[in-house]
């Protein structure tokens, strides 16, 4: 049993009025990180309450439900489920009734040694209700000695992998980022307290200052004494390169840079190596639009909207079931025949994993009348399984790992195919990023997981 990364958006508010409503709006800015479930916990100084359900945020909450979650403290999560953790027991935040008082916890990222920890705990008689990494953390915390802040630190010394979590009692809050800071948490002062989120896009509708990233191996503790930081371990920031390519919203920051501007730079770099000719450039909505527009500007040819996204159908990546992913490719994008008919088209996408979307889109454009489709990818080839990735995929399923460019071109029915060079990609994003899925290189000595072996 492998532990897979939990693609989730975390948000929290401490010491702000109507905190659950504030967290609700923060989570709206993170909905793209998962649409399978949503939950919010609140603390009012006396009790902790939790409400969570399957479905998107707007489907799960209404004003009446938020009013029941009263208090100045709140914690929430939106989440993508995998096939192995779709049960009700895995919905977060988890509520724990402990001898030191009730608390709620929500997680993001992945604990690479969770399977072995769970195995040992079960052998010692501990009972698990679900399969989430959050339960592993709660058991470790409850078994550790000392005050809650010390219990949390003790637990983090045992956990491995790129994870982040927020824990909330009836009046305190703890925000933790592991030393492998692939999963990030940001905070900003707000009113008389603070807001937290796993991506800076969440803060967009609030009048706040520049978001601050929690440092690797750091815990922020908020309680009667206000804001306190504790450095629990030495680490370094190696954010996942795919955050800049795909996962993050364009109005977010990646390493203090605008994601939108990064994607523009990727598109410009891709265009500089171009040798083919085409009439127009089309971008795949939504994550390839910035790169496609910059690609067109660099080549001085028109950028057109040739694909329309059905916004009432979720992303094919954030659906948990294989059959749903394959069917929804056919329903979420349509080609505009009047734009592409008789034209030679550059089709710019952000990345390719299994290649099903690329194949479908090339075929779709040709069926709509495109004379030629030249497929351009604004990131390097994904050739390696990532054991820290949001969705682990066996290397045998990664098309770039099993076919060369000419073979993929034929499989996609494209007239030509080209990816951004890895050296150009790393020059734009810098060297302190994780490009394991592209380069096969993890983060040097910080790499604490041996692929193919359980911790």
């Amino acid at each position: 049993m492998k532990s897979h990364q939990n693609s989730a958006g975390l948000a929290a508010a401490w010491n702000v009025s109507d905190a659950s409503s504030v967290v609700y709006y923060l989570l709206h800015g993170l909905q793209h990180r998962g649409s399978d479930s949503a939950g919010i916990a609140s603390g009012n100084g006396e009790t902790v309450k939790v409400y969570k359900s399957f479905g998107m945020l707007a489907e799960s909450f209404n004003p009446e439900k938020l009013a029941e979650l009263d208090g100045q403290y709140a914690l929430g999560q939106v989440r993508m489920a995998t096939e192995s953790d779709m049960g009700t027991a895995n919905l977060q935040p988890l509520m724990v009734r402990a001898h030191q008082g009730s608390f709620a916890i929500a997680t993001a990222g992945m604990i690479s040694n969770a399977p072995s920890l769970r195995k040992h705990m079960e052998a010692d008689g501990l009972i698990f209700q679900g399969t989430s990494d959050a339960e592993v953390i709660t058991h470790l915390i409850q078994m550790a000695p000392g005050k809650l802040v010390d219990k949390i630190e003790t637990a983090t010394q045992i956990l491995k992998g790129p994870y982040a979590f927020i824990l909330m009692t009836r009046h305190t809050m703890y925000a933790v980022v592991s030393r492998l800071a692939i999963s990030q948490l940001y905070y900003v002062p707000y009113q008389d307290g603070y807001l937290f989120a796993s991506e800076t896009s969440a803060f967009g509708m609030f009048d706040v200052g520049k978001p601050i990233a929690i440092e690797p191996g750091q815990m922020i503790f908020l309680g009667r004494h206000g804001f306190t930081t504790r450095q629990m371990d030495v680490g370094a920031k190696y954010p996942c390169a795919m955050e800049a390519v795909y996962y993050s919203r364009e109005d977010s920051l990646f390493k203090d840079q605008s994601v939108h501007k990064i994607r523009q730079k990727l598109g410009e770099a891709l265009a500089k190596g171009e040798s083919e000719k085409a009439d127009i450039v089309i971008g795949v909505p939504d994550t390839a639009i910035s790169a496609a527009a910059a690609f067109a500007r660099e080549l001085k040819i028109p950028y057109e909207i040739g694909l329309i996204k059905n916004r009432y159908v979720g992303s094919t990546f954030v659906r948990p079931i294989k059959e749903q992913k394959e069917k929804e490719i056919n329903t979420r994008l349509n080609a505009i025949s009047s734009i592409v008919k008789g034209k030679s088209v550059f089709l710019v996408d952000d990345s390719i994993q299994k290649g099903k979307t690329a194949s479908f889109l090339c075929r779709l454009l040709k069926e709509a009348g495109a004379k030629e489709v030249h497929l351009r990818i604004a990131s390097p080839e994904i050739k390696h399984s990532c054991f820290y990735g949001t969705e682990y995929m066996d290397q045998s399923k990664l098309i770039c790992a099993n076919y060369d460019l000419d073979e993929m071109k034929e499989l996609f029915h494209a007239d030509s195919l080209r990816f951004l060079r890895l050296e150009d990609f790393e020059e734009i994003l810098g060297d302190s990023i994780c490009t394991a899925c592209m380069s096969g290189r993890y983060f040097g000595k910080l790499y604490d997981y041996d692929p193919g072996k359980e911790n």
Side-chain angles (χ1 to χ4, degrees):
M1 176 183 175
K2 287 184 171 64
S3 181
H4 300 314
Q5 174 136 334
N6 168 17
S7 176
L10 299 182
W14 182 81
N15 199 32
V16 304
S17 58
D18 199 13
S20 62
S21 292
V22 171
V23 167
Y24 174 82
Y25 287 112
L26 288 170
L27 289 175
H28 263 297
L30 301 171
Q31 185 71 86
H32 59 286
R33 302 197 75 87
S35 57
D36 292 318
S37 67
I40 296 176
S42 68
N44 60 11
E46 297 180 359
T47 61
V48 176
K49 303 174 185 177
V50 177
Y51 179 78
K52 51 193 175 181
S53 70
F54 291 107
M56 297 179 69
L57 187 69
E59 298 169 338
S60 303
F61 289 91
N62 56 38
E64 292 74 22
K65 185 60 66 179
L66 290 170
E68 294 174 12
L69 298 169
D70 61 312
Q72 294 176 281
Y73 320 103
L75 160 64
Q77 186 208 63
V78 290
R79 171 177 166 272
M80 179 191 79
T82 62
E83 292 184 42
S84 63
D85 70 352
M86 293 183 66
T88 303
N90 294 320
L91 298 182
Q92 297 185 34
L94 289 186
M95 177 74 165
V96 178
R97 290 176 174 82
H99 63 273
Q100 74 267 22
S102 297
F103 64 85
I105 184 171
T107 64
M110 181 262 281
I111 298 171
S112 60
N113 62 336
S116 61
L117 290 173
R118 179 185 294 269
K119 182 178 178 180
H120 290 304
M121 289 177 185
E122 289 177 333
D124 289 339
L126 293 176
I127 297 173
F128 286 80
Q129 302 298 320
T131 59
S132 73
D133 288 352
E135 267 197 280
V136 174
I137 298 174
T138 62
H139 279 307
L140 288 175
I141 288 171
Q142 293 196 81
M143 289 189 298
K147 298 179 180 179
L148 183 56
V149 65
D150 300 315
K151 289 173 174 282
I152 294 171
E153 181 168 3
T154 299
T156 63
Q157 303 303 315
I158 300 171
L159 300 170
K160 295 181 180 180
Y163 62 85
F165 67 84
I166 302 176
L167 185 150
M168 183 190 73
T169 71
R170 58 192 173 91
H171 56 68
T172 62
M173 187 170 287
Y174 308 81
V176 176
V177 172
S178 73
R179 69 187 187 93
L180 299 181
I182 294 177
S183 297
Q184 307 255 321
L185 278 177
Y186 299 85
Y187 67 91
V188 290
Y190 182 70
Q191 294 181 4
D192 295 324
Y194 293 88
L195 305 181
F196 294 84
S198 49
E199 190 175 323
T200 62
S201 60
F203 303 124
M205 63 181 71
F206 295 90
D207 184 14
V208 295
K210 184 179 179 180
I212 304 164
I214 299 178
E215 293 299 316
Q218 190 176 76
M219 171 170 55
I220 290 179
F221 167 35
L222 297 162
R224 293 187 179 92
H225 300 293
F227 184 102
T228 305
T229 62
R230 181 179 289 196
Q231 192 67 38
M232 302 176 296
D233 202 349
V234 177
K237 292 181 182 178
Y238 282 85
C240 173
M242 288 300 290
E243 286 286 344
V245 171
Y246 179 82
Y247 299 128
S248 293
R249 235 172 57 170
E250 291 191 330
D251 54 340
S252 285
L253 297 176
F254 180 84
K255 295 179 63 179
D256 291 328
Q257 297 184 68
S258 160
V259 170
H260 167 64
K261 290 184 178 179
I262 289 173
R263 291 175 183 169
Q264 285 183 322
K265 291 177 182 177
L266 297 177
E268 290 167 0
L270 183 64
K272 287 176 181 176
E274 191 52 64
S275 59
E276 296 286 346
K277 302 294 183 182
D279 302 310
I280 59 174
V281 176
I282 289 173
V284 179
D286 290 313
T287 49
I289 297 301
S290 296
F295 181 88
R297 283 196 300 272
E298 187 71 21
L299 294 179
K300 296 181 172 56
I301 60 175
Y303 170 76
E304 296 281 1
I305 299 175
L307 293 168
I308 295 295
K309 183 176 182 180
N310 182 349
R311 300 190 181 278
Y312 298 98
V313 177
S315 164
T316 59
F317 186 84
V318 294
R319 300 307 307 161
I321 300 173
K322 177 182 176 182
E323 290 77 9
Q324 284 178 305
K325 287 184 179 181
E326 292 174 351
K327 289 178 181 177
E328 286 176 6
I329 289 174
N330 298 317
T331 59
R332 72 185 179 102
L333 290 169
N334 293 306
I336 304 176
S337 179
S338 61
I339 297 293
V340 304
K341 190 173 182 179
K343 302 283 181 60
S344 179
V345 176
F346 279 125
L347 174 63
V348 178
D349 204 354
D350 54 75
S351 58
I352 290 180
Q353 289 184 319
K354 292 192 294 185
K356 291 185 179 294
T357 301
S359 179
F360 166 72
L361 291 177
C362 290
R363 187 177 73 250
L364 181 70
L365 289 171
K366 288 196 172 182
E367 289 175 352
K371 182 173 62 176
E372 294 178 336
V373 177
H374 300 281
L375 183 59
R376 297 295 180 263
I377 309 302
S379 64
E381 296 167 78
I382 296 175
K383 294 183 174 182
H384 305 274
S385 298
C386 179
F387 289 84
Y388 287 146
T390 297
E391 185 182 53
Y392 171 80
M393 193 172 295
D394 190 271
Q395 196 161 353
S396 64
K397 296 182 179 179
L398 296 172
I399 196 163
C400 294
N402 295 283
Y403 298 93
D404 62 26
L405 284 178
D406 288 334
E407 291 170 332
M408 285 190 284
K409 184 185 75 171
E410 295 301 319
L411 288 169
F412 297 154
H413 304 287
D415 292 277
S416 68
L417 170 65
R418 193 165 59 81
F419 292 80
L420 182 64
R421 296 190 313 163
L422 180 62
E423 50 265 44
D424 294 333
F425 182 79
E426 291 181 331
E427 183 177 348
I428 291 168
L429 270 69
D431 55 3
S432 58
I433 57 172
C434 180
T435 60
C437 61
M438 304 165 185
S439 65
R441 301 191 304 270
Y442 284 86
F443 8 83
K445 294 180 181 179
L446 290 175
Y447 183 56
D448 65 351
Y449 186 61
D450 184 6
K453 295 181 180 180
E454 299 297 345
N455 281 293

